[in-house]
């Protein structure tokens, strides 16, 4: 099942992405690129404007795999095999660019075989399903930063590699480690440089994913808008692809 419905039509809420020095980051990433651990070229991050300039972008579909009431936690891996991914997502007010503290940034995505927890089998693979792996969120700190540990996502039929993201404010934390209530400010998706994804796809367990991979250029939802459309800036964590990546992006929301 794909999540392409209404992807390019109505916009429930308006969202912005702020450059936050991404032009300089692109140059740094390009300089760090190696054949063993590919990184994003400057061309993949060039659409970003100068720091503190807000660029409007539409929200993206929630898709069919969202589950309510997931855990508030910084590490969502639950031991899932895959290449490490350290996400640093900064949430700011789109009018003032002031960071939003105590905003809950929630993510969910497929594992290396393209399977979502709660829906295992939809991508043709059989594995244990606890309904919670690779799902969760964390509150932003005083600088508006949410730091999350996960793995590089796999792919499923009809979609490129991506991570779903929501931003909530005024949530209530519950005794079971989850959250309720609050206001949902943003629903979007995070995307990955195709050169890096190609390298990741050659590494186990991604290489055992039997589904034909849809590339970033072929995807029906990503609109080639670069960072303004959710394209992460990726930096290698080591000298090999298996060492993992750090992914950064600044999300501006209507508060």
């Amino acid at each position: 099942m794909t999540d392409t419905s209404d992807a390019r039509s109505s916009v429930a809420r308006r969202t912005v992405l702020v450059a936050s020095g991404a032009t300089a980051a692109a140059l740094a990433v390009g300089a760090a690129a190696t054949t063993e651990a590919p990184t994003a070229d400057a061309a993949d991050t060039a659409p970003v404007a100068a720091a503190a300039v807000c660029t409007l972008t539409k929200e993206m579909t929630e898709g069919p795999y969202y589950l309510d009431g997931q855990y508030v936690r910084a590490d969502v891996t639950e031991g899932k095999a895959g290449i490490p991914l350290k996400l640093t997502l900064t949430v700011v007010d789109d009018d003032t660019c002031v960071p939003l503290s105590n905003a809950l940034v929630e993510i969910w995505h497929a594992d290396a075989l393209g399977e979502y927890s709660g829906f295992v089998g939809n991508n043709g693979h059989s594995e244990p399903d606890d309904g919670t792996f690779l799902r969760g969120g964390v509150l932003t700190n005083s600088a508006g930063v949410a730091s999350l540990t996960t793995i590089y996502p796999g792919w499923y039929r009809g979609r490129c590699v991506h991570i779903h993201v929501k931003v909530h404010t005024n949530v209530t934390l519950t005794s079971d480690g989850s959250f309720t209530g609050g206001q949902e400010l943003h629903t979007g998706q995070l995307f990955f440089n195709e050169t890096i994804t190609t390298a990741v796809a050659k590494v186990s367990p991604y290489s055992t994913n039997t589904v034909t991979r849809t590339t970033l250029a072929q995807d029906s939802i990503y609109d080639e808008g670069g960072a303004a459309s959710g394209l992460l800036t990726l930096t290698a964590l080591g000298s090999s692809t298996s060492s993992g990546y750090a992914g950064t992006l600044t999300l501006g929301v209507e508060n």
Side-chain angles (χ1 to χ4, degrees):
M1 182 176 186
T2 60
D3 52 3
T4 57
S5 59
D6 300 324
R8 298 183 183 274
S9 54
S10 61
V11 181
R13 297 167 296 275
R14 298 181 73 192
T15 312
V16 299
L17 293 170
V18 185
S20 297
T23 301
L27 293 174
V29 170
T34 68
T35 55
E36 292 186 342
T39 55
D41 349 3
D44 291 305
T45 50
V48 188
V53 175
C54 299
T55 304
L56 290 173
T57 186
K58 67 176 181 291
E59 293 195 340
M60 295 186 177
T61 177
E62 176 183 282
Y65 298 124
Y66 182 68
L67 293 175
D68 290 317
Q70 293 301 315
Y71 293 124
V72 177
R73 54 184 179 174
D75 189 332
V76 303
T77 56
E78 291 190 17
K80 270 290 178 182
I83 291 172
L85 177 66
K86 306 289 187 180
L87 288 174
T88 302
L89 305 174
T90 304
V91 181
V92 300
D93 184 286
D94 72 300
D95 292 322
T96 64
C97 294
V98 171
L100 296 185
S101 61
N102 291 315
L104 189 121
V105 178
E106 182 184 16
I107 63 169
W108 69 103
H109 64 83
D111 67 7
L113 299 182
E115 301 288 352
Y116 280 83
S117 55
F119 302 89
V120 167
N122 280 13
N123 203 40
H125 304 92
S126 177
E127 59 185 74
D129 186 0
D130 63 1
T132 60
F133 66 75
L134 304 179
R135 296 178 181 273
V138 67
L139 294 172
T140 57
N141 62 19
S142 60
V145 175
S147 298
L148 292 139
T149 298
T150 186
I151 62 169
Y152 206 99
W155 58 93
Y156 55 96
R157 292 178 182 87
R159 287 303 317 279
C160 69
V161 169
H162 63 283
I163 290 176
H164 293 271
V165 59
K166 284 182 182 286
V167 177
H168 314 256
T169 54
N170 302 315
V171 301
T172 299
L173 302 185
T174 59
S175 59
D176 63 355
S178 184
F179 69 96
T180 60
Q183 180 182 5
E184 184 181 305
L185 298 185
H186 172 62
T187 299
Q189 297 183 23
L190 309 176
F191 296 95
F192 294 77
N193 172 268
E194 185 61 28
T195 300
I196 296 176
T197 296
T198 298
V200 167
K202 297 175 182 178
V203 177
S204 181
Y206 302 88
S207 57
T208 64
N209 190 338
T210 57
V211 174
T212 300
R213 188 169 66 81
T214 298
T215 66
L216 196 65
Q218 294 168 335
D219 192 66
S220 59
I221 292 178
Y222 179 68
D223 61 6
E224 301 183 358
S229 297
L231 186 66
L232 291 163
T233 295
L234 296 173
T235 306
L237 293 175
S239 59
S240 70
T241 300
S242 298
S243 298
Y245 293 89
T248 60
L249 191 67
T250 299
L251 299 167
V253 299
E254 287 192 352
N255 187 21

